[in-house]
Amino acid sequence: MKIHHLNCGTMRPIGGQLVDGRGGPLRRAELVCHCLLVDTGKELVLIDTGVGTPAALRPAEWLGGPFTRLVGLRTSLAESAVEQVKRLGYAAEDVRHIVLTHLDLDHAGGLVDFPHATVHVYAEELRALESRHPRYRAAQFAHRPQWRSYADLGEPWLGFDAVRELAGLPPEILLVPLMGHTPGHAGVAVDTGDGWLLHCGDAFFFHGEVDPFRPYCPPGLVLFQTVMQTVGEMRRKNQRRLRELNRRDDVTMFAAHDAHDFKRLRAI
């Protein structure tokens, strides 16, 4: 099991320490779209997709003008998941499965670049998309992805209920219910052989937020999470569970947009 850490979309919003905890409030903060490319030895599995190639070619259409301006998106074909897959020596068609934490535009925007892949997602998230929830960008799903959806049922795993394996994927990759940010938000756990790597999506936004002793999140991100949440009580409950899980030495967790953890894990 070989794992590659990919940044599939850099964002530079104004706010500095209010957003990423560093520098003055007028500097541009740094956020990423942290995705995982897992080589199982037989095929590739992509966990989240970033913003996709259309974000570099027609960002306002693909992501919306207000979003691109608010987050200071730095559009780049080179940062797209598909281009990074190719630079690693693979073909786009080698990505046979995509596992999504959720369907927000900066996590599912790259689906269009892998139209042949099976896309794994919680059924509740897919239902929210099919009900035309306004947070999702319909254009990103017009190519009709090959969905494989799951009820939030499963087995206990390290203090979480209803964790499940995924059809056609090895048992080392698990879907973990982390609802709250969106109706069917998930974490994705990967057994690396040396412990678990847990992609938490947007269950939290800042590495200090899951510190089990002195949790902290910059106020700009606190506000953003509150505005974007669908079930606040569930989101906060899952963050408390993640703090407890973070006490373990055999689990490494990260948030999708935290540049600090992306750089740390990529270096390892």
Side-chain angles (χ1 to χ4, degrees):
M1 190 83 70
K2 187 174 183 180
I3 300 174
H4 303 275
H5 293 266
L6 312 178
N7 172 20
C8 299
T10 298
M11 297 174 281
R12 302 297 304 273
I14 294 289
Q17 62 189 5
L18 301 177
V19 177
D20 65 6
R22 297 185 294 110
L26 297 182
R27 67 170 277 274
R28 288 195 174 272
E30 182 182 6
L31 303 175
V32 299
C33 293
H34 191 163
C35 304
L36 297 178
L37 182 67
V38 181
D39 186 341
T40 69
K42 296 182 178 179
E43 57 193 355
L44 300 182
V45 180
L46 184 61
I47 300 174
D48 274 1
T49 69
V51 295
T53 56
L57 302 173
R58 48 185 197 280
E61 174 190 337
W62 196 244
L63 302 172
F67 175 83
T68 56
R69 291 190 293 271
L70 175 67
V71 305
L73 181 68
R74 188 177 70 190
T75 59
S76 167
L77 280 174
E79 279 192 346
S80 67
V82 68
E83 290 301 319
Q84 294 189 66
V85 165
K86 293 175 183 176
R87 288 202 302 273
L88 287 168
Y90 304 108
E93 293 75 16
D94 294 332
V95 178
R96 302 306 305 169
H97 297 273
I98 295 173
V99 187
L100 293 178
T101 60
H102 60 302
L103 297 178
D104 278 351
L105 73 177
D106 48 342
H107 296 258
L111 286 180
V112 70
D113 297 321
F114 305 94
H116 52 280
T118 299
V119 183
H120 303 262
V121 66
Y122 270 127
E124 191 62 33
E125 190 75 0
L126 191 55
R127 279 193 288 270
L129 172 66
E130 292 170 343
S131 69
R132 300 184 180 182
H133 195 291
R135 73 184 294 146
Y136 305 123
R137 300 286 295 182
Q140 295 185 346
F141 310 101
H143 67 287
R144 300 173 66 89
Q146 301 178 44
W147 300 110
R148 184 67 185 258
S149 62
Y150 302 85
D152 55 349
L153 303 172
E155 302 296 328
W157 177 82
L158 303 185
F160 285 85
D161 300 324
V163 173
R164 64 178 307 145
E165 296 179 11
L166 300 169
L169 294 181
E172 290 83 4
I173 300 177
L174 301 175
L175 200 61
V176 182
L178 290 175
M179 287 71 170
H181 178 68
T182 64
H185 188 280
V188 184
V190 182
D191 186 350
T192 68
D194 296 317
W196 290 96
L197 183 63
L198 179 59
H199 189 319
C200 295
D202 288 353
F204 67 97
F205 278 74
F206 186 71
H207 56 276
E209 204 166 357
V210 289
D211 186 305
F213 306 106
R214 299 182 63 184
Y216 171 76
C217 184
L221 290 183
V222 172
L223 175 62
F224 182 79
Q225 291 184 76
T226 303
V227 170
M228 295 303 296
Q229 68 189 8
T230 56
V231 187
E233 181 179 354
M234 182 62 73
R235 180 182 66 83
R236 291 187 292 273
K237 178 182 177 181
N238 281 325
Q239 285 192 353
R240 291 192 293 270
R241 296 166 84 181
L242 288 171
R243 290 186 193 110
E244 287 301 312
L245 186 61
N246 207 21
R247 295 173 180 266
R248 297 179 62 108
D249 294 332
D250 59 345
V251 177
T252 300
M253 65 182 65
F254 65 90
H257 300 301
D258 190 291
H260 171 275
D261 274 351
F262 172 72
K263 294 172 182 177
R264 176 177 63 88
L265 292 170
R266 185 179 59 175
I268 295 173

